[in-house]
Amino acid sequence: SELVEAGPERVVFEVHRCALARLAAATGHPELAPMFCRADAAFFARRQPPIAMNRPTTLAEGGTCCRFELSLTTNS
């Protein structure tokens, strides 16, 4: 992974290798890899305070990296 940006309310990092995507491909089921990506979004949304996640690219969908853009959300 590579840290791209870090601030008090926003963090951006990129993952360049994913064990779960490799495992799905190695077992002959690469179509399952995006399921793990969807679980990440659910995980961050359930944090307190909630964390908004944007991920414009993923390895599972053929991108060169998984880019995580995480921001604190507020109810104001």
Side-chain angles (χ1 to χ4, degrees), residues 1-51:
S1 346
E2 172 187 1
L3 183 61
V4 176
E5 176 186 338
E9 295 184 9
R10 180 175 155 86
V11 172
V12 178
F13 64 94
E14 294 178 348
V15 174
H16 298 279
R17 292 187 340 180
C18 175
L20 296 172
R22 285 184 297 184
L23 175 64
T27 59
H29 294 285
E31 71 279 5
L32 296 178
M35 174 185 66
F36 297 110
C37 301
R38 287 190 294 278
D40 289 338
F43 172 81
F44 286 112
R46 290 190 173 102
R47 301 297 94 199
Q48 289 301 320
I51 298 171

